[in-house]
Amino acid sequence: MVFCMGPPMHRTFCQSYIFFCRLHVALFFGSVLASACPKSCLCSEKNGLVVVQCASRNLEKIPSDLPRDTVSLLLSSNHITKIPGQAFKNLPRLQELDLSRNSIETVEAGAFQGLSEGLRVLDLSNNLLRSVPKEAFARLQAKIRLSNNPWHCECTLQEVLRELQLDPETVNQVSCHTSIQEEYAGKPVIQVLDSGINFCNFHHKTTDVAMFVTMFGWFTMVIAYVIYYVRHNQEDARRHLEYLKSLPSTSQANKDFDVVSTVL
């Protein structure tokens, strides 16, 4: 902090000088921030914290030219369908990420790589997510909102949810749109899991049944081939036997030769 001392005129000049210096610095950093901001977004700075407002901008993908000092990134109400791997790797200071109200169907493994302990809030509510890979949220400590998505309840989703810190205010809105067991469709996922249901058990049973059906199919094919092979060989053997029977015997041929010799 700078103190202006001396006669009143000097103090007035000093205070005016400080004001213009601060104004110049603010304009300089404001111009730098504006130049680093994606053209489709609005960037603002307060107390050294950069907020990037990209909500309702008709975006179809996540901007790649975001300021590195971004602390809050608001991308809600756009048309984004996919979060690719390492989409936010250049945002080490990011604390809030709002991707709600988009059309996101796919979250790739490693999508949030680089956003580890710094991220505080991640909002993926009101999208089109049915499933996510287990690696997508690896090492995240953020409070995550996943409500109002058409989730398919099965083993992978169960394993993902058990590792996340879900937002307590919206956790009951994370529901099974469809399920590996139809009876759980329409019910909150956490309520189903808390009741002791284990989707991974159903998964293993389904896998066992599929394996059994596959093995039975192969066994049936082998048996059918063996039967075909035996029948085919039997037919060949029968034809060969009939051919041999049709040939004149050696004794008959000798008798015919003796008759011919006698005549001669």
Side-chain angles (χ1 to χ4, degrees):
M1 182 178 292
V2 179
F3 296 94
C4 294
M5 303 179 66
M9 184 176 294
H10 291 172
R11 289 199 301 271
T12 301
F13 175 79
C14 179
Q15 290 172 354
S16 299
Y17 177 76
I18 292 173
F19 171 77
F20 282 110
C21 284
R22 289 177 175 173
L23 179 61
H24 177 75
V25 171
L27 291 175
F28 172 76
F29 282 105
S31 62
V32 171
L33 182 60
S35 63
C37 189
K39 61 181 181 180
S40 56
C41 304
L42 177 64
C43 299
S44 60
E45 185 268 340
K46 184 177 182 182
N47 298 326
L49 305 179
V50 179
V51 177
V52 181
Q53 171 62 265
C54 302
S56 303
R57 303 284 174 163
N58 294 319
L59 298 177
E60 296 182 356
K61 62 181 182 179
I62 298 167
S64 58
D65 51 347
L66 296 164
R68 285 185 60 86
D69 292 336
T70 301
V71 174
S72 179
L73 177 57
L74 309 177
L75 289 162
S76 62
S77 302
N78 282 293
H79 306 295
I80 299 170
T81 59
K82 177 181 178 180
I83 305 178
Q86 300 184 342
F88 310 100
K89 65 178 182 179
N90 295 322
L91 303 177
R93 299 183 61 185
L94 193 63
Q95 297 180 11
E96 179 185 11
L97 178 56
D98 187 355
L99 288 158
S100 63
R101 300 184 183 282
N102 277 277
S103 301
I104 299 172
E105 297 179 334
T106 305
V107 177
E108 292 188 355
F112 305 106
Q113 186 174 344
L115 305 179
S116 54
E117 297 181 358
L119 192 65
R120 296 287 179 266
V121 177
L122 172 59
D123 194 343
L124 286 166
S125 62
N126 295 283
N127 278 286
L128 301 175
L129 291 170
R130 287 178 49 82
S131 63
V132 289
K134 292 185 289 186
E135 302 81 9
F137 303 106
R139 304 173 68 178
L140 285 184
Q141 303 297 322
K143 184 183 295 183
I144 301 177
R145 298 179 185 134
L146 298 174
S147 56
N148 298 315
N149 279 282
W151 294 110
H152 176 63
C153 290
E154 40 77 42
C155 184
T156 301
L157 181 62
Q158 172 181 311
E159 294 179 345
V160 169
L161 295 182
R162 290 195 185 280
E163 300 295 327
L164 299 183
Q165 181 182 345
L166 296 176
D167 176 31
E169 296 182 2
T170 61
V171 66
N172 288 325
Q173 298 172 26
V174 182
S175 301
C176 300
H177 182 70
T178 57
S179 174
I180 194 171
Q181 291 290 107
E182 294 183 2
E183 59 191 282
Y184 303 115
K187 295 183 179 180
V189 182
I190 299 302
Q191 177 182 326
V192 173
L193 296 178
D194 286 345
S195 67
I197 299 301
N198 188 338
F199 290 117
C200 293
N201 286 343
F202 298 131
H203 175 75
H204 294 322
K205 290 179 180 179
T206 303
T207 303
D208 292 342
V209 171
M211 185 177 296
F212 174 78
V213 171
T214 303
M215 292 179 64
F216 181 78
W218 278 105
F219 181 75
T220 303
M221 289 177 62
V222 170
I223 295 299
Y225 176 77
V226 170
I227 293 174
Y228 168 79
Y229 180 80
V230 171
R231 287 182 176 178
H232 183 73
N233 284 349
Q234 286 178 340
E235 183 67 20
D236 287 346
R238 184 183 63 80
R239 290 176 181 175
H240 185 66
L241 184 59
E242 290 179 353
Y243 171 75
L244 292 177
K245 289 181 178 180
S246 66
L247 294 177
S249 64
T250 304
S251 58
Q252 182 65 36
N254 290 335
K255 290 179 180 179
D256 293 341
F257 178 77
D258 292 339
V259 171
V260 172
S261 298
T262 304
V263 172
L264 291 176

